[in-house]
Amino acid sequence: MIINHNLGAMNAQRQMSTNQNNMSNSMEKLSSGLRINRAGDDAAGLAISEKMRGQIRGLEQADRNAQDGVSMIQTAEGALNETQDILQRMRELATQAANDTNTDTDRNEIQKEVNSLTSEINRIGNTTEFNTQKLLNGEKDGSEAIAAVAGEFTSTDDIGTEDVTIDGVNFTYVDSGATAADGEFSDAEGLAAAIDASDLGDKYTASHSTDKLVLTQEDGEESSTAPSGLDFETTTAGVEGKDAGSGNSAQFQIGANESQSLTLNIADMRASALGITSEGTGAELGVTDGTNNEVTEQALDLSTHEKASEAITKIQSAIDEVSGERSQLGANQNRLEHTINNLGTSAENLQSAESRIRDVDMAKEMMNMTKNNILSQASQSMLAQANQQPQSVLQLLQ
């Protein structure tokens, strides 16, 4: 028997310390509700959980961003609803003014209302804002320009090696491989080479497709009528170009990561952009640029039958343009609403996965704490017993 080293007591004390530490950890987890309270609890799990938390918070913010985007779109579309009502009234007035039962005095009174309505369309375009940002004055239109092509025509038959006449201009065939001069064309390797169309007054760009001749009208040519002399089929006709936007597109961040965004362009919806003004002294008609400055535009002239009739067509075009813009806004709103639903689902599922890593199972941890508590009490009892063992040495000294 030895008394300098009570190994039984030392072992009981070590076990008791371990049990108490385990019980303390269980109490911490039960108190916080988290399985991972520090990196040491699960280093890999902590890294994965933090990455997921970044995604979750990004998705939740993207959800709010998309809802703000819907609000912006609804603001713009609501203003355009009023603009369209105004245009419908202007069309009605133009139709009325086109009737020659009206006197000059009558048309003058109609003109006053059209002037006022034109000014109101400008006011709506200049002042409609969301969070101090202008929506309908072109500042949110970052669309790229679309090239104008009046028409493209392809000959229905191979042009072969015979002379051809296009719009009264004769083109002479020259030997294969020869360089075609003005008024000539040649074929190369069985393909009809591009004829020199300079004799057509640069009205077309000429090229070839197999043995067929393709003529594309240059920008600025208004007619989409097929050229004469050959039988042509119209590939495209009347394709109108669109000028580039004057501002920057609205970008909605609808994802948690870079480049997960939606681009929205809102066209200029003021009177001049809609084509319902003409040059003149705008101040006399109440047409301003939104800052009460005089501008060189005036409302459509309804002073005669012919002018009023032309105004009907222009106003109808404006109505169609506003309708198209409202349709585009509505489509983007629907897209954002689907995006909101998807973001909510994604955030929920990711939160569930993160919870399994980070959160504690309360029932399981309560079981662990109960076990550690019992073991701690048992180890305390055994430590007391181990401390009593050296007392038996005294019996040897009696």
Side-chain angles (χ1 to χ4, degrees):
M1 299 180 66
I2 60 174
I3 62 172
N4 284 334
H5 295 87
N6 190 342
L7 296 178
M10 292 173 64
N11 181 268
Q13 191 274 335
R14 179 176 60 81
Q15 295 292 346
M16 183 180 69
S17 177
T18 299
N19 292 331
Q20 287 180 338
N21 286 336
N22 290 337
M23 187 171 66
S24 177
N25 287 337
S26 294
M27 293 175 65
E28 181 181 29
K29 292 175 182 179
L30 290 169
S31 299
S32 66
L34 297 174
R35 187 180 70 86
I36 304 175
N37 289 282
R38 60 183 66 83
D41 292 336
D42 184 350
L46 177 69
I48 297 171
S49 173
E50 288 298 334
K51 181 175 65 175
M52 286 184 172
R53 282 188 171 186
Q55 290 293 300
I56 291 166
R57 295 181 67 169
L59 289 171
E60 290 173 346
Q61 183 58 57
D63 189 319
R64 294 190 290 272
N65 290 349
Q67 293 183 51
D68 290 341
V70 169
S71 297
M72 174 185 280
I73 290 174
Q74 288 176 331
T75 300
E77 200 274 329
L80 290 181
N81 179 53
E82 198 60 37
T83 297
Q84 200 157 48
D85 287 345
I86 293 172
L87 288 171
Q88 293 288 4
R89 174 58 179 164
M90 290 176 65
R91 192 185 192 287
E92 181 182 7
L93 291 171
T95 304
Q96 180 183 2
N99 194 11
D100 277 341
T101 60
N102 294 294
T103 65
D104 290 344
T105 301
D106 296 333
R107 284 185 168 126
N108 186 54
E109 296 303 317
I110 294 172
Q111 185 71 58
K112 290 179 181 178
E113 184 174 354
V114 169
N115 296 344
S116 180
L117 292 175
T118 304
S119 182
E120 179 59 16
I121 288 176
N122 273 343
R123 189 198 66 80
I124 292 173
N126 284 316
T127 62
T128 299
E129 297 180 350
F130 182 84
N131 193 28
T132 73
Q133 300 179 68
K134 306 286 187 182
L135 299 181
L136 302 179
N137 66 349
E139 289 185 6
K140 294 299 180 186
D141 185 10
S143 58
E144 297 180 356
I146 300 174
V149 179
E152 184 176 272
F153 312 97
T154 303
S155 61
T156 56
D157 298 317
D158 296 349
I159 63 173
T161 60
E162 301 294 329
D163 296 352
V164 296
T165 300
I166 302 172
D167 284 353
V169 179
N170 184 61
F171 292 90
T172 304
Y173 172 77
V174 296
D175 291 337
S176 174
T179 301
D182 288 355
E184 297 177 337
F185 74 94
S186 65
D187 66 358
E189 298 178 356
L191 300 179
I195 66 173
D196 191 321
S198 59
D199 284 352
L200 297 174
D202 295 327
K203 185 177 180 180
Y204 302 101
T205 296
S207 59
H208 64 270
S209 174
T210 313
D211 286 324
K212 294 178 170 53
L213 176 66
V214 179
L215 295 178
T216 302
Q217 287 183 338
E218 297 284 24
D219 294 354
E221 292 293 331
E222 297 180 357
S223 173
S224 59
T225 303
S228 61
L230 291 174
D231 291 329
F232 290 92
E233 62 181 0
T234 304
T235 306
T236 60
V239 179
E240 298 180 357
K242 180 181 178 182
D243 294 335
S246 58
N248 296 316
S249 304
Q251 300 286 343
F252 299 143
Q253 181 66 28
I254 56 173
N257 304 316
E258 181 183 2
S259 301
Q260 294 179 346
S261 61
L262 181 149
T263 301
L264 176 69
N265 290 303
I266 306 177
D268 190 342
M269 291 284 105
R270 292 175 295 183
S272 59
L274 294 173
I276 55 172
T277 59
S278 57
E279 293 184 358
T281 305
E284 297 178 357
L285 302 176
V287 180
T288 65
D289 64 357
T291 57
N292 295 323
N293 295 322
E294 180 179 323
V295 292
T296 57
E297 63 179 31
Q298 64 180 14
L300 295 173
D301 188 354
L302 307 181
S303 59
T304 66
H305 163 75
E306 289 76 14
K307 291 180 178 179
S309 183
E310 291 176 2
I312 294 173
T313 301
K314 291 181 179 179
I315 295 171
Q316 183 59 52
S317 296
I319 291 172
D320 294 340
E321 187 169 347
V322 173
S323 295
E325 191 65 22
R326 291 182 67 188
S327 177
Q328 183 261 146
L329 290 173
N332 279 282
Q333 179 178 335
N334 290 340
R335 178 181 175 183
L336 283 175
E337 288 173 350
H338 287 296
T339 297
I340 291 168
N341 293 335
N342 180 58
L343 289 170
T345 301
S346 298
E348 179 182 346
N349 291 330
L350 197 56
Q351 184 71 72
S352 176
E354 196 269 341
S355 175
R356 286 190 293 272
I357 297 173
R358 198 75 172 246
D359 292 343
V360 69
D361 184 331
M362 298 293 285
K364 181 179 179 181
E365 201 57 44
M366 182 64 73
M367 180 184 68
N368 288 334
M369 190 190 77
T370 301
K371 178 193 72 173
N372 291 325
N373 186 34
I374 293 172
L375 290 174
S376 179
Q377 293 181 48
S379 60
Q380 289 179 21
S381 177
M382 292 303 101
L383 178 60
Q385 293 293 327
N387 286 333
Q388 290 297 322
Q389 285 183 348
Q391 297 294 326
S392 63
V393 175
L394 296 176
Q395 297 297 325
L396 298 177
L397 300 177
Q398 292 180 358

